[in-house]
């Protein structure tokens, strides 16, 4: 594992958690939306993460953005028994965003223009308490990635100071 990989891994974690925070914010903002372009009330969304081997993700980015050589893990060299020492270094990416298709919450409000013939309005199935706890969890994960990034940065600065003296 290269030294700068920790910066990249933390960066992927920050991006994934930021995306999750955006989706949670969208859910909270649309908690009372009764009309969407698809018809019916807004549907809650949830982010699904996927762990991917860091080498694969890094090499895909290198292929797309630069003309560098592919990254090869120096620990992958086989030994006498052809066993490969391959530590499972994985990063996180957003796999997909799923929509919650559970039943909407029906509230009696015959004066609402979106009310049905019986006077009920379909509201999104969003629980603000669940959204806030998800937001808190995503914020804590984001902060943990920032702390990991800061630690790697501090170690890099210390290494540079040692080399300068």
């Amino acid at each position: 594992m290269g030294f700068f990989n920790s910066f990249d891994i933390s960066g992927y974690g920050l991006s994934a958690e930021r995306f999750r925070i955006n989706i949670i914010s969208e859910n909270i903002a649309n908690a009372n939306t009764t009309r969407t372009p698809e018809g019916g009330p807004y549907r809650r969304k949830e982010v699904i993460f996927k762990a991917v081997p860091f080498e694969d993700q890094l090499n895909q980015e290198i292929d797309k953005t630069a003309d560098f050589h592919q990254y090869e893990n120096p620990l992958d060299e086989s030994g006498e028994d052809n066993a490969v020492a391959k530590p499972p270094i994985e990063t996180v990416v957003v796999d997909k965003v799923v929509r919650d298709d559970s039943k909407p919450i029906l509230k009696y409000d015959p004066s609402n223009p979106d009310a049905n013939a019986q006077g009920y309005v379909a509201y999104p199935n969003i629980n603000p308490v669940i959204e806030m706890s998800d937001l808190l969890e995503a914020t804590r994960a984001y902060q943990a990635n920032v702390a990991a990034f800061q630690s790697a940065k501090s170690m890099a600065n210390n290494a540079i100071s040692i080399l300068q003296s």
Side-chain angles (χ1 to χ4, degrees), residues 36-57:
T36 60
E38 301 93 32
Y42 176 82
R43 300 290 181 166
R44 181 177 185 264
K45 296 176 184 171
E46 194 168 355
V47 177
I48 306 295
F49 292 147
K50 179 173 75 174
V52 294
F54 178 71
E55 291 177 35
D56 297 345
Q57 189 70 23

Side-chain angles (χ1 to χ4, degrees), residues 58-77:
L58 180 61
N59 286 331
Q60 285 178 2
E61 291 295 323
I62 288 172
D63 286 342
K64 285 192 305 189
T65 60
D67 192 23
F68 298 144
H69 292 289
Q70 294 279 312
Y71 173 78
E72 294 179 8
N73 191 341
L75 298 176
D76 286 348
E77 296 177 5

Side-chain angles (χ1 to χ4, degrees), residues 4 10 16 36 43 58 63 84 100 108 115 131 141 145 153 156 159:
F4 294 106
S10 293
T36 60
R43 300 290 181 166
L58 180 61
D63 286 342
V84 177
D100 184 2
Y108 185 72
E131 297 302 324
N145 279 299
K153 181 180 166 186

